[in-house]
Amino acid sequence: MAFEGLSEKLQNVMKKLSGRGKLSEADVKAAMREVRLALLEADVNYLVVKDFVKKVSERAVGGEVLSSLTPGQQVIKIVNEELTALMGKTQARINYASAPPTVIMLVGLQGAGKTTMAAKLGLNLKKQGKKPLIAACDVYRPAAIDQLKIVAEKAGVPVFEQGQGQPVKIAQGAKAECQRLLYDTLIIDTAGRLQIDQAMMDEVKAIRQAVGVHEVMLVLDAMTGQEAVNVASSFNEQVGVDSVILTKLDGDTRGGAALSLRAVTGKPIKFCGVGEKLEDFEPFYPDRMANRILGM
Amino acid sequence: SYYREIDDEFFEELTDLLIAADVGVSTSLKIIEELKAKVKAQKIGDPEKVKGLLREIIIELLGDEPVGLDQHSGPQILLVVGVNGVGKTTAIGKLANKYTREGKKVLLAAADTFRAAAAEQLAVWAQRAGVSLIRHQEGADPAAVVYDALEAAKARGTELLIIDTAGRLHNKKNLMEELRKINRVIERGYPEADYTAYLVLDATTGQNAVQQAKVFSEVAKLDGIILTKLDGSARGGVVLAIRSELGLPVCFVGVGEGIDDLQPFDPRGFAEALF
Ligand SMILES: Nc1nc2c(ncn2[C@@H]2O[C@H](COP(=O)(O)OP(=O)(O)OP(=O)(O)O)[C@@H](O)[C@H]2O)c(=O)[nH]1
Ligand SMILES: Nc1nc2c(ncn2[C@@H]2O[C@H](COP(=O)(O)OP(=O)(O)OP(=O)(O)O)[C@@H](O)[C@H]2O)c(=O)[nH]1
Ligand SMILES: [K+]
Ligand SMILES: [Mg+2]
Ligand SMILES: [Mg+2]
């Protein structure tokens, strides 16, 4: 398979580098070509790759490396450091509102994993002693509300729904329900939407304004390719994104989308989905992701 | 158009365009090598002509023959597989509608017994398309649903049975074995029927789609691809890598969430949209 071959090649280059006592600029350049390929094969956005390789190259041909006793090791360290830095520190915390309820809205493309994540998040909050409520604001997808009710019930989290009503009204009703029954966290499940669909983007913007969302979480499929950048920047510009959740990381994708959207939006990736079951939920680890993208 | 030299930088830009459309590094390089050779052989000096040639290479790679379900007088079975959330169930709703409108007697089978409300979702589509549906309880054995659906298809004189399956990541051994079993039940349970299987791919997917196609084709018979969500801005270039490495053609494309948002694949239009 292409990925394995590439990761092997990359590791060979790294090994070769790490065994060397002295490095020339040409050696560094050759290594950077391999890094570039590894990142592209991992679906990191090609513009992000360009930037990244330039930055690492500058550091790698600088004095700190070439004069080092183990220059190869230094280069590998730089690549890993820069990748991890780009991915951000672990910030697996939710921005709680000073006065409850804290309102979290999940947004993203069709099929990304929002509804599943709403229940996972609800379960996780419950385990932390919170009292969450989920609002069923996908009024379009066939059986979306049935699906949400089933997964939320498994999580033991109540759902506020009004059938195929108006999403803004449903969100408002859910917030009022929180105040009435003292739920401290409201999770809003929204319909999947394309970032180029103006009417649908306006809808989530309206929900955001109407109920005062504290945290907009962009749910993104880890298998996403070059499009991740368009999705992330567009959702961020139009709706405002506070954090990112990566799903389907239990697959064998390298997950370069993670790096791209982090680089473009600067927003922290907080959680991951690692399976279809409710407990398949983890905080995000930037260093693990860096290794995965490079196939190391 | 402005003056542009056909040099390495020009070819590099074209490579970047392909990579930006998710064609992937190795396939992009392969295509550009072929392009370079042709440009050299034909002594082309006009950048626009080079781009035209690139389009032709891509169209040729994709194959210009119309694909889709064969015209068949006997019973047909269509199995739909793919990873989670790509658009299998929706595509089935659209196909059921299309073939019903074309006069076929269609039956659906809800062999996704795992995901919450999967059968309810398919039931909504069955109703929209005006076809009936075979379903069991949540958690039932999907192979048993398929078996029942085959028997029902025989008994009712169904012309086209379309089987929905649960989304599964190709690296999950047990789920792929489950699919192998479904495939076997179909092959053994109704050998007289013409059997087609499609892999559904989400156009926003990157290079992982190649691996999906490879592993799915190891456990089930695969005849082609339904490429969904092409109404977004993703271009789905990874199907070029799949065609190049595995020979699998794209048969249909999904261009929205409505019942009519399914089209036969048009290689020419696809190649135009890549850039
Ligand atoms: N393997 C795996 N599957 C997941 C994960 N998260 C969600 N899924 C599956 O992905 C599919 C889509 O998930 P949903 O939660 O319905 O996605 P959604 O974003 O709500 O979809 P729409 O509402 O249609 O936009 C389902 O089959 C889920 O079971 C994950 O982390 N890993
Ligand atoms: N924009 C757009 N959305 C689509 C298209 N096809 C499917 N969808 C949406 O994608 C989401 C997932 O579609 P499903 O048909 O449930 O996907 P699936 O593969 O059956 O999902 P699982 O059974 O959970 O694995 C839904 O919100 C669909 O409405 C398409 O061509 N364009
Ligand atoms: K997806
Ligand atoms: Mg949903
Ligand atoms: Mg489905």
Side-chain angles (χ1 to χ4, degrees):
Chain A
M1 176 56 207
F3 292 152
E4 281 150 28
L6 191 73
S7 119
E8 218 169 82
K9 233 167 58 191
L10 179 70
Q11 285 179 40
N12 282 339
V13 174
M14 293 301 187
K15 245 185 251 151
K16 247 191 274 165
L17 279 183
S18 66
R20 295 280 285 272
K22 241 183 162 18
L23 278 190
S24 68
E25 268 195 53
D27 293 334
V28 172
K29 236 180 158 177
M32 285 308 121
R33 253 200 304 277
E34 295 299 326
V35 170
R36 178 176 167 270
L37 281 181
L39 295 176
L40 286 174
E41 284 289 3
D43 293 318
V44 180
N45 180 267
Y46 77 109
L47 293 173
V48 174
V49 172
K50 268 199 179 130
D51 242 36
F52 179 80
V53 168
K54 191 165 156 249
K55 210 157 141 205
V56 173
S57 300
E58 275 165 15
R59 269 188 75 185
V61 297
E64 60 170 313
V65 171
L66 297 183
S67 65
S68 148
L69 286 176
T70 52
Q73 224 94 60
Q74 273 308 104
V75 174
I76 295 167
K77 213 177 119 221
I78 292 172
V79 170
N80 254 318
E81 269 175 23
E82 290 288 339
L83 262 185
T84 311
L86 205 50
M87 220 95 67
K89 301 242 173 342
T90 314
Q91 272 185 297
R93 300 185 61 93
I94 289 166
N95 301 324
Y96 289 107
S98 45
T102 298
V103 184
I104 298 168
M105 179 165 69
L106 301 176
V107 299
L109 297 182
Q110 287 90 348
K114 298 173 293 298
T115 303
T116 309
M117 191 46 74
K120 287 179 179 178
L121 206 54
L123 178 64
N124 191 260
L125 290 170
K126 246 185 72 174
K127 282 184 185 160
Q128 291 174 39
K130 299 274 176 197
K131 200 182 160 199
L133 175 72
I134 304 178
C137 288
D138 178 355
V139 299
Y140 310 102
R141 170 171 164 167
I145 300 170
D146 292 331
Q147 181 194 2
L148 179 63
K149 277 160 80 178
I150 291 170
V151 287
E153 196 189 337
K154 280 188 186 143
V157 177
V159 169
F160 182 89
E161 59 117 335
Q162 289 182 339
Q164 322 303 123
Q166 270 187 31
V168 172
K169 291 222 173 95
I170 297 168
Q172 284 170 325
K175 189 167 178 192
E177 186 84 340
C178 286
Q179 278 145 351
R180 198 168 68 83
L181 297 173
L182 303 179
Y183 292 107
D184 55 21
T185 321
L186 176 62
I187 303 168
I188 303 177
D189 181 31
T190 64
R193 67 201 69 222
L194 296 170
Q195 81 279 8
I196 55 169
D197 187 335
Q198 199 54 54
M200 288 298 280
M201 292 303 274
D202 286 345
E203 181 192 278
V204 272
K205 230 173 357 191
I207 296 177
R208 174 174 201 150
Q209 278 158 7
V211 297
V213 173
H214 299 97
E215 182 152 347
V216 175
M217 292 186 171
L218 175 66
V219 180
L220 192 97
D221 185 327
M223 293 176 276
T224 310
Q226 298 288 319
E227 182 70 358
V229 158
N230 294 335
V231 174
S233 55
S234 200
F235 269 94
N236 191 32
E237 279 158 24
Q238 297 190 59
V239 191
V241 169
D242 300 293
S243 59
V244 175
I245 294 181
L246 277 184
T247 60
K248 309 180 197 173
L249 269 171
D250 47 322
D252 60 3
T253 180
R254 284 292 187 72
L259 186 66
S260 311
L261 59 86
R262 172 68 211 201
V264 165
T265 62
K267 303 299 175 188
I269 302 169
K270 292 193 175 173
F271 304 107
C272 314
V274 291
E276 295 189 72
K277 303 215 177 74
L278 287 179
E279 57 273 22
D280 300 329
F281 173 87
E282 286 178 5
F284 178 75
Y285 303 105
D287 46 344
R288 286 189 203 169
M289 199 67 216
N291 286 340
R292 179 177 178 146
I293 288 174
L294 283 175
M296 299 179 70
Chain B
S1 72
Y2 62 100
Y3 177 77
R4 183 76 166 81
E5 231 178 304
I6 297 170
D7 50 11
D8 281 351
E9 199 186 314
F10 179 68
F11 285 114
E12 225 163 82
E13 275 170 27
L14 292 180
T15 314
D16 276 354
L17 277 180
L18 292 177
I19 289 172
D22 286 318
V23 176
V25 178
S26 46
T27 307
S28 297
L29 291 177
K30 211 161 105 187
I31 290 171
I32 296 297
E33 281 316 308
E34 188 182 335
L35 177 67
K36 275 184 184 169
K38 283 196 169 153
V39 166
K40 200 172 162 198
Q42 300 177 24
K43 298 194 174 65
I44 296 173
D46 176 1
E48 281 313 308
K49 281 208 176 114
V50 177
K51 283 187 187 159
L53 196 55
L54 176 57
R55 248 190 315 272
E56 291 311 314
I57 290 172
I58 289 168
I59 291 165
E60 198 182 327
L61 175 59
L62 287 169
D64 227 348
E65 77 277 19
V67 271
L69 274 190
D70 300 334
Q71 287 298 329
H72 219 268
S73 50
Q76 289 185 291
I77 301 171
L78 176 59
L79 176 71
V80 179
V81 301
V83 300
N84 307 84
V86 287
K88 296 175 291 297
T89 307
T90 307
I92 289 168
K94 296 170 182 175
L95 286 167
N97 184 62
K98 168 184 156 67
Y99 289 111
T100 303
R101 296 290 163 274
E102 287 175 17
K104 274 196 196 301
K105 202 171 162 208
V106 179
L107 177 67
L108 300 184
D112 179 356
T113 57
F114 179 74
R115 215 213 58 213
E120 283 75 11
Q121 183 189 2
L122 189 63
V124 172
W125 282 109
Q127 197 198 2
R128 286 180 186 173
V131 302
S132 39
L133 169 74
I134 301 294
R135 59 184 286 190
H136 288 187
Q137 298 292 338
E138 194 181 322
D141 177 9
V145 178
V146 172
Y147 182 83
D148 277 1
L150 293 174
E151 294 307 308
K154 291 175 199 169
R156 298 179 193 183
T158 296
E159 288 165 294
L160 174 62
L161 168 66
I162 311 180
I163 303 168
D164 190 16
T165 60
R168 68 196 78 224
L169 293 176
H170 51 282
N171 60 334
K172 305 268 166 93
K173 289 272 166 0
N174 55 337
L175 296 180
M176 295 311 274
E177 283 312 311
E178 179 191 279
L179 188 58
R180 195 194 294 279
K181 186 171 158 198
I182 290 173
N183 185 61
R184 200 164 49 224
V185 169
I186 296 170
E187 280 174 346
R188 294 199 185 149
Y190 205 167
E192 314 85 276
D194 172 60
Y195 172 29
T196 304
Y198 288 147
L199 174 72
V200 181
L201 282 185
D202 181 330
T204 52
T205 310
Q207 298 312 299
N208 192 247
V210 180
Q211 192 66 355
Q212 291 171 23
K214 200 171 160 215
V215 181
F216 270 98
S217 66
E218 283 162 12
V219 299
K221 150 193 169 59
L222 275 196
D223 299 278
I225 288 168
I226 300 177
L227 185 63
T228 60
K229 311 185 192 177
L230 264 185
D231 46 325
S233 52
R235 282 153 293 170
V238 72
V239 298
L240 280 174
I242 291 173
R243 180 79 201 214
S244 159
E245 286 183 36
L246 305 168
L248 265 185
V250 182
C251 299
F252 292 101
V253 297
V255 292
E257 299 182 78
I259 202 160
D260 294 317
D261 295 328
L262 182 88
Q263 297 168 357
F265 180 60
D266 162 28
R268 202 154 280 277
F270 182 83
E272 299 288 343
L274 262 191
F275 309 109

